Amino acid sequence: QAHLVESGGGLVQAGGSLRLSCTTSGRTLRSYAMGWFRQAPEKEREFVAAIRRSGGSTYYADSVKGRFAISRDNANNTVYLQMNRVKPEDTAVYYCVVDLSGGGWDYWGQGTQVTVSS
């Protein structure tokens, strides 16, 4: 099992930046792919970004490509989502996820709220 804890959410103006962090206790994350999803009010949860366990490959939704960057610090058991040039449509609860089984996103954090004001 993995207990994921997100932090760094908050209120930011459009065009600004925010960095989300995700860490866990009791289990190292360095051997697993990790990612971020988000869910806006009255919308389905959607994929945002993912990173392989080595950090060598990253993947992004088209809506955030070129603005967001996912990275990981395996020594500190932490994954980050750097959000730049944010837009009001980026407003959502952001969830950190981990793929422990190799077959999908097994565990989810409780989420952190990001609100972008126009």
Side-chain angles (χ1 to χ4, degrees):
Q1 293 189 349
H3 178 60
L4 303 174
V5 179
E6 303 97 335
S7 62
L11 177 64
V12 60
Q13 286 190 332
S17 298
L18 207 60
R19 188 176 79 160
L20 306 183
S21 301
C22 172
T23 190
T24 186
S25 58
R27 188 182 192 111
T28 180
L29 299 176
R30 68 183 65 192
S31 300
Y32 307 102
M34 298 198 67
W36 291 91
F37 280 69
R38 68 185 181 186
Q39 187 167 21
E42 301 182 358
K43 292 189 176 181
E44 292 187 356
R45 197 169 291 185
E46 64 175 359
F47 168 78
V48 176
I51 186 167
R52 289 195 180 273
R53 59 184 182 181
S54 66
S57 296
T58 55
Y59 309 87
Y60 297 95
D62 288 343
S63 58
V64 307
K65 200 172 294 183
R67 299 188 298 121
F68 291 10
I70 187 171
S71 62
R72 64 192 304 159
D73 180 351
N74 286 339
N76 290 307
N77 225 28
T78 303
V79 173
Y80 302 99
L81 184 69
Q82 178 66 44
M83 305 169 61
N84 298 323
R85 301 194 307 279
V86 296
K87 304 175 181 179
E89 51 263 44
D90 293 323
T91 294
V93 177
Y94 284 71
Y95 298 90
C96 177
V97 296
V98 61
D99 177 6
L100 296 184
S101 66
W105 304 111
D106 306 286
Y107 290 93
W108 296 64
Q110 292 192 329
T112 185
Q113 175 71 47
V114 172
T115 303
V116 182
S117 63
S118 57

